[in-house]
Amino acid sequence: MQHNQKSTNPTTEQESEVATDAHTTASEATPSVERGTERSPRGVVARLWHRFKPTRPVLYLAIVAMAGLLTFSLIRLVLFMRNEELLSIGIDTSDTLLFDAMLVGVRYDVVVSFYILLIPLLLLTIGDFLSPKPRKILSKVAVGWIAVCYLPIIVCGIGDIPFYEHFDTHVNAVAISYLLNDMGQATSMIFHDVGYLTFALISFIVGILFVALCIRVARRMELHRGSERKYI
């Protein structure tokens, strides 16, 4: 009986040694796998994103800017499609000219968005250096500024579509002063034309949806928490 127990001990020791060697080999192979993952394109992109990831305020303002540019571009596209027949009166309609015109419009929209978002950027940047309560107040002021600026621009942009069809000019200071001098004509044009009423309703709906989107994104991103980076 004792002889059998002694004969089984070497086998047990060999099995334990094999298991230990396998565990050591696996532990040695794990860092190499991790290093291989870090060197892969996906790992490089992940490390770069983690290192250069934009702060929460910058990311929020970038989303708002892209949403604004997309909205302005769609408005300009609808204006072009509804007045496409004007291009058949001898105006150059080459693809290059149309592309250049759209590009100029996009550049104009970028400038407008920059001036609108400059103040929210300053407010949110200042809020990063303050305590949570004033930071939350500044974040609300920034979102309110965005809503106050973008809403009338979107409403006027959509309202410019039927205005251009009727007067062959865009909404500007001269056109507004002309309508203000003759409020009867302006009121009659808006309330007695189904097309104007439709565009007026659409403009307010789109503007309100845009503002609601900005507020919802700010809440989802917890904009009041400020930046995730630590300033030194």
Side-chain angles (χ1 to χ4, degrees):
M1 191 71 176
Q2 294 177 356
H3 177 71
N4 294 334
Q5 293 178 353
K6 291 180 180 179
S7 62
T8 57
N9 289 336
T11 305
T12 306
E13 292 177 357
Q14 292 177 358
E15 293 177 352
S16 62
E17 290 177 358
V18 171
T20 303
D21 294 338
H23 179 71
T24 304
T25 304
S27 61
E28 292 177 353
T30 302
S32 62
V33 174
E34 293 178 353
R35 287 195 296 270
T37 303
E38 291 178 356
R39 293 176 181 177
S40 64
R42 185 177 180 182
V44 172
V45 173
R47 285 189 289 109
L48 289 176
W49 172 255
H50 180 72
R51 188 167 187 175
F52 300 102
K53 182 175 65 173
T55 60
R56 185 180 285 110
V58 172
L59 185 59
Y60 170 75
L61 295 179
I63 293 174
V64 173
M66 293 302 297
L69 293 177
L70 179 61
T71 304
F72 296 155
S73 299
L74 290 176
I75 293 173
R76 186 173 291 106
L77 182 61
V78 173
L79 176 64
F80 170 75
M81 294 177 63
R82 288 184 62 90
N83 295 276
E84 190 175 4
E85 67 276 1
L86 297 178
L87 301 178
S88 61
I89 60 176
I91 301 176
D92 186 6
T93 59
S94 61
D95 295 336
T96 303
L97 183 61
L98 293 178
F99 177 78
D100 292 340
M102 289 293 179
L103 186 59
V104 171
V106 172
R107 291 171 57 186
Y108 177 79
D109 296 339
V110 170
V111 173
V112 172
S113 298
F114 172 79
Y115 283 115
I116 293 176
L117 299 178
L118 182 60
I119 291 181
L121 178 61
L122 294 176
L123 292 176
L124 296 175
T125 302
I126 294 173
D128 280 339
F129 297 93
L130 303 177
S131 58
K133 187 173 181 179
R135 184 193 306 148
K136 187 175 182 179
I137 295 175
L138 288 180
S139 65
K140 291 183 177 180
V141 173
V143 176
W145 172 267
I146 292 173
V148 169
C149 291
Y150 270 104
L151 181 60
I153 293 177
I154 293 175
V155 171
C156 291
I158 298 178
D160 182 60
I161 298 175
F163 187 89
Y164 187 85
E165 294 176 1
H166 191 274
F167 294 100
D168 293 332
T169 184
H170 294 285
V171 175
N172 50 33
V174 177
I176 293 176
S177 62
Y178 171 77
L179 292 177
L180 291 178
N181 292 330
D182 192 355
M183 291 297 297
Q185 180 182 358
T187 305
S188 176
M189 179 181 64
I190 294 174
F191 290 99
H192 292 83
D193 191 336
V194 178
Y196 281 98
L197 287 176
T198 302
F199 274 99
L201 181 62
I202 293 175
S203 64
F204 281 103
I205 292 176
V206 174
I208 292 174
L209 288 177
F210 185 90
V211 172
L213 176 65
C214 295
I215 296 175
R216 181 174 179 81
V217 172
R219 291 178 178 175
R220 290 291 298 271
M221 295 181 63
E222 297 181 339
L223 188 63
H224 62 277
R225 292 177 55 185
S227 172
E228 294 179 351
R229 296 181 180 178
K230 295 182 180 180
Y231 290 89
I232 298 176

